[in-house]
């Protein structure tokens, strides 16, 4: 486990898991939201984003946290491990709401409200994004380690088990 992507619905616990995994493995962690968004809430160009992502992917070891479906194939081609968070919608909505007014290392600003457009994207994720993700993962099932979490407790148990097995130092 040297090249890892963490994907799934916003609010599901992806970034928290990615930080815990980083702390256990010492793999460098990159947040796609930090690459795409500027502190003033504008975004970089697609070309700038793709260049930065390409530079990360060429490194020998990493964790990349985030969805960004347009570049998912690029990350799937390069990774050896995929962690997919497929949690109930109510858990994801509560998770996203709970981080309002919280400083986060994965976002270059503090969210001061639960943006209605972002909330709608989360609500639509199970029907608009998740089927596509599962379809793409099927094509990689023989060549990648794919771990699907249906709860945060499963993710925590994975980290505890990995530490017990000595995977945390790979």
């Amino acid at each position: 486990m040297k090249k890892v992507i963490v994907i799934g619905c916003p609010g599901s616990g992806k970034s928290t898991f990615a930080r815990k995994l980083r702390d256990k493995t010492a793999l460098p962690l990159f947040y796609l939201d930090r690459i795409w968004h500027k502190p003033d809430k504008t975004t970089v160009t697609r070309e700038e984003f793709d260049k930065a992502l390409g530079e990360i992917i060429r490194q020998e070891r990493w964790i990349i946290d985030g969805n960004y479906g347009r570049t998912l194939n690029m990350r799937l081609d390069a990774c050896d491990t995929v962690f997919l968070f497929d949690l109930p919608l109510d858990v994801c909505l509560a998770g996203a709401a709970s981080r309002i007014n919280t400083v986060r290392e994965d976002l270059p600003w503090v969210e001061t409200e639960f943006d209605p457009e972002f909330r709608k994207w989360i609500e639509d994720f199970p029907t608009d994004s998740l089927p596509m993700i599962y379809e793409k993962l099927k094509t990689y099932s023989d060549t990648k380690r794919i771990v699907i979490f249906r709860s945060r407790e499963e993710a925590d148990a994975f980290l505890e088990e990995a530490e017990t097995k000595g995977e945390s130092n790979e």
Side-chain angles (χ1 to χ4, degrees):
M1 186 168 59
K2 293 183 179 179
K3 296 182 177 186
V4 177
I5 64 172
V6 183
I7 56 178
C9 189
S12 62
K14 295 184 312 294
S15 298
T16 300
F17 175 83
R19 280 189 293 279
K20 290 177 181 179
L21 186 63
R22 172 200 59 200
D23 293 347
K24 288 190 177 296
T25 62
L27 291 169
L29 172 56
F30 300 94
Y31 299 105
L32 294 181
D33 282 343
R34 278 268 180 192
I35 298 168
W36 179 245
H37 296 286
K38 297 179 183 179
D40 66 0
K41 298 186 180 181
T42 61
T43 60
V44 299
T45 65
R46 281 185 171 200
E47 293 77 20
E48 290 171 300
F49 180 84
D50 292 353
K51 181 181 178 196
L53 180 56
E55 290 170 3
I56 293 165
I57 285 174
R58 284 190 290 279
Q59 295 178 26
E60 290 184 28
R61 305 168 70 238
W62 40 257
I63 300 168
I64 300 174
D65 168 62
N67 290 304
Y68 294 78
R70 184 180 66 80
T71 63
L72 183 55
N73 283 344
M74 180 191 317
R75 288 175 281 131
L76 284 169
D77 287 342
C79 77
D80 57 48
T81 306
V82 178
F83 293 104
L84 169 62
F85 279 71
D86 184 1
L87 276 62
L89 179 59
D90 61 326
V91 172
C92 298
L93 287 168
S98 73
R99 55 191 194 202
I100 303 301
N101 294 317
T102 303
V103 175
R104 299 165 37 203
E105 83 177 57
D106 57 306
L107 195 64
W109 66 77
V110 174
E111 296 170 299
T112 56
E113 65 177 338
F114 198 166
D115 178 64
E117 187 177 320
F118 183 53
R119 181 186 178 93
K120 177 78 170 127
W121 193 73
I122 294 171
E123 290 171 344
D124 293 342
F125 191 88
T127 53
D128 291 355
S129 299
L130 209 48
M132 176 272 300
I133 291 171
Y134 273 108
E135 195 62 36
K136 287 181 187 260
L137 290 180
K138 277 185 200 174
T139 64
Y140 291 91
S141 62
D142 292 336
T143 59
K144 310 291 178 182
R145 178 183 189 187
I146 299 172
V147 180
I148 300 171
F149 298 126
R150 308 256 183 223
S151 71
R152 292 185 185 139
E153 293 77 18
E154 287 180 6
D156 289 340
F158 175 90
L159 290 169
E160 288 176 27
E161 185 177 321
E163 189 168 15
T164 303
K165 289 182 176 179
E167 288 187 46
S168 60
N169 294 322
E170 284 186 20

